[in-house]
Amino acid sequence: MIAEATPALEREFNPWLAAEARFNNAAEKLGLDDGMRKVLKTPTREITVAIPVMLDDGRLEVFTGYRVQHSIARGPAKGGIRYAPDVTLDEVRALASWMTWKCAVANIPYGGGKGGVICDPNVMSLGELERITRRYTAAIIDFIGPEIDVPAPDMNTNEQTMAWIMDTYSMHNRQTVTAVVTGKPIDLGGSQGRTEATGRGCMIAALEALKRFNLSPSDSSVVVQGFGNVGGMAAKLMSRTGFKINTVIEYDGAVHNNHGLDILKLMQHKKETGSIIDFAEAENVDREEAMFQPCDILIPAAKENVITSQNAHRIRAKILCEGANGPCTAPADEILAANNVFVIPDILANGGGVTVSYFEWVQDRQGFFWNEELVNARLEEIMVNGFHAVTGYGEKHKVDNRTAAYMVALDRVAFAIKLRGIYA
Ligand code: NAD
């Protein structure tokens, strides 16, 4: 899509600069003073650790791990841990601040954090992954805990990784502490509804947005980019609710059916063939063009920086519901706002995941577990409240939804800091 990364585009794609652009815009609109801006911007704690691990072939390797706690103003830091060869401290820092704003929009009692380990999980055995996870946990153990910082899965980590972290932490504490991480297996204190939570949250936000257009799900065409956890679940739940999922886009192709795709069958097809393409009940279409077709709702749920200054003018969706983190760049925001695209920003739209993580932490601490119906009902309440808080700010301050979401978040975190005062 992008021919070459010019310095301007590199800046546009830098996650730290993107977060800063949104932050500055909202802080300006809120009239926050310089001191408060500095406090809000500066990560509370950044930890870099060395992780020596004995590899299966007998070699000793030292990996680098990070944990950034951006804010603890409203509660413990909260955020995932990613394993990837190209993780940087800058990236982890940006994602940690993102979590602070996301938790504040959802109005759950957390700050924001993120972790990362520079490693390539694709070439590592399960044993190596377990050793790296346990040693990383040991290295940051004084800085995590149910009341301090609560990690969760992110890119290339999963419920098994969380089980190892929980066990390592528990062994050091001489007692089982399930609430130290979320995203655990159900049998170890995980929550019902967590797998579907982010996709479900996207659907709830989209349903609220539809009301503003006087549309019902059965009148609405949907394009989903990314058929993984978020996009796949959103597509499944939305088609069950009556939406017409006309197009699904993956990294290797896209499929389209004017009458709506049968999502369960498409999932089965992907499971059997490893791809969505050549699905019998759809036509293959150009994956580069599919995102730009007219539709009621577009859900980019694959990766960051897909809607940019170069292509935002081609978006013809009424509602753009950001399932992924950062699918639109800051310059793209301006183009979308000028074209009256109703954007449901990531820190609102995909907050369903961290919200059910919060429920998991609450249930672990209570030692009392809820059924899926209750989890979903409480998720809906939080998503709907978040949606109205953001759109309410947008209307009151005459700003687009992204700016409004950041304003809600900054305002809430700044208010907590003011109430607590500056400890000296
Ligand atoms: P995933 O790996 O399960 O799914 C991503 C899907 O997108 C995969 O099927 C992949 O093949 C596809 N994809 C990759 N590149 C693509 C491209 N260029 N075009 C089309 N499809 C492409 O990941 P996920 O957990 O669904 O996360 C997706 C996004 O949502 C990420 O930005 C993630 O940070 C964000 N997110 C996830 C959660 C969660 O609970 N999983 C919560 C909040 C935000």
Side-chain angles (χ1 to χ4, degrees):
M1 226 175 282
I2 307 296
E4 77 187 68
T6 61
L9 277 179
E10 267 172 25
R11 280 180 67 77
E12 184 174 340
F13 289 175
N14 179 310
W16 181 242
L17 294 177
E20 197 172 35
R22 273 77 181 246
F23 176 95
N24 289 339
N25 191 17
E28 197 63 40
K29 296 263 171 10
L30 284 170
L32 294 179
D33 63 54
D34 276 356
M36 181 56 82
R37 287 189 202 197
K38 275 186 205 155
V39 177
L40 285 172
K41 240 187 207 180
T42 314
T44 295
R45 182 183 273 150
E46 299 185 355
I47 309 161
T48 301
V49 294
I51 310 167
V53 172
M54 190 65 80
L55 301 178
D56 291 348
D57 63 8
R59 273 184 308 125
L60 185 59
E61 189 54 86
V62 181
F63 297 90
T64 301
Y66 305 112
R67 185 74 190 167
V68 174
Q69 294 162 0
H70 172 258
S71 172
I72 51 165
R74 288 169 44 90
K78 181 89 193 83
I81 293 170
R82 56 175 53 182
Y83 288 177
D86 54 354
V87 170
T88 65
L89 185 55
D90 242 9
E91 169 191 354
V92 174
R93 207 182 267 144
L95 294 167
S97 70
W98 227 315
M99 288 305 298
T100 302
W101 314 133
K102 198 179 287 188
C103 293
V105 168
N107 213 1
I108 56 180
Y110 285 142
K114 205 80 181 191
V117 177
I118 305 174
C119 65
D120 186 355
N122 295 321
V123 299
M124 297 178 76
S125 70
L126 201 61
E128 289 169 338
L129 284 171
E130 177 171 355
R131 293 196 289 282
I132 208 170
T133 301
R134 289 188 183 275
R135 187 62 193 249
Y136 170 65
T137 307
I140 61 168
I141 205 156
D142 291 333
F143 307 103
I144 61 171
E147 309 292 345
I148 304 169
D149 180 358
V150 186
D154 194 75
M155 197 190 291
N156 295 326
T157 57
N158 55 29
E159 57 176 38
Q160 176 61 75
T161 324
M162 296 306 113
W164 289 328
I165 296 178
M166 189 278 268
D167 183 66
T168 306
Y169 185 86
S170 298
M171 289 298 104
H172 279 256
N173 280 272
R174 297 285 182 257
Q175 57 183 311
T176 297
V177 187
T178 51
V180 63
V181 283
T182 60
K184 298 178 296 294
I186 297 266
D187 291 321
L188 284 181
S191 179
Q192 299 290 342
R194 175 62 186 90
T195 318
E196 291 185 350
T198 308
R200 182 178 293 279
C202 285
M203 174 177 77
I204 296 165
L207 281 167
E208 286 306 299
L210 268 195
K211 292 179 189 162
R212 306 173 78 91
F213 289 85
N214 283 325
L215 285 169
S216 70
S218 55
D219 300 326
S220 308
S221 55
V222 182
V223 174
V224 179
Q225 183 197 44
F227 203 50
N229 176 274
V230 178
M233 289 302 172
K236 183 178 97 175
L237 296 170
M238 288 174 86
S239 84
R240 196 188 286 164
T241 307
F243 286 92
K244 266 193 301 201
I245 316 293
N246 282 352
T247 308
V248 170
I249 310 166
E250 258 293 329
Y251 70 94
D252 58 346
V255 289
H256 176 86
N257 181 330
N258 244 346
H259 305 291
L261 295 157
D262 184 325
I263 296 298
L264 291 180
K265 282 191 188 162
L266 183 61
M267 283 179 159
Q268 187 60 30
H269 174 78
K270 189 184 170 199
K271 206 168 151 193
E272 284 164 8
T273 66
S275 170
I276 59 165
I277 53 182
D278 295 334
F279 177 48
E281 296 178 18
E283 53 175 319
N284 293 334
V285 291
D286 184 327
R287 63 178 285 276
E288 300 287 347
E289 289 302 313
M291 199 168 65
F292 306 113
Q293 66 185 287
C295 62
D296 295 305
I297 304 174
L298 170 64
I299 306 184
K303 57 195 277 276
E304 68 290 341
N305 297 334
V306 291
I307 299 168
T308 69
S309 57
Q310 313 290 294
N311 64 19
H313 61 281
R314 298 187 58 207
I315 296 292
R316 288 155 79 196
K318 293 190 179 82
I319 297 165
L320 196 158
C321 180
E322 293 187 328
N325 284 321
C328 300
T329 65
D333 283 351
E334 291 173 28
I335 300 167
L336 295 168
N339 291 344
N340 288 322
V341 179
F342 187 91
V343 175
I344 312 175
D346 48 11
I347 58 171
L348 167 64
N350 69 34
V354 73
T355 299
V356 175
S357 276
Y358 162 57
F359 296 161
E360 178 175 337
W361 177 79
V362 170
Q363 292 169 81
D364 288 342
R365 282 155 41 113
Q366 290 179 328
F368 182 67
F369 289 86
W370 315 343
N371 63 26
E372 194 172 346
E373 229 179 345
L374 186 55
V375 169
N376 292 344
R378 289 187 162 149
L379 170 62
E380 182 169 358
E381 191 182 338
I382 285 188
M383 290 301 304
V384 170
N385 287 345
F387 184 93
H388 291 292
V390 168
T391 50
Y393 256 67
E395 276 147 25
K396 185 167 162 208
H397 297 277
K398 302 198 171 17
V399 294
D400 61 79
N401 289 339
R402 169 116 37 221
T403 307
Y406 274 80
M407 287 174 77
V408 169
L410 265 61
D411 211 6
R412 285 179 176 165
V413 181
F415 189 57
I417 292 169
K418 276 194 190 127
L419 284 176
R420 289 176 69 147
I422 302 296
Y423 177 78

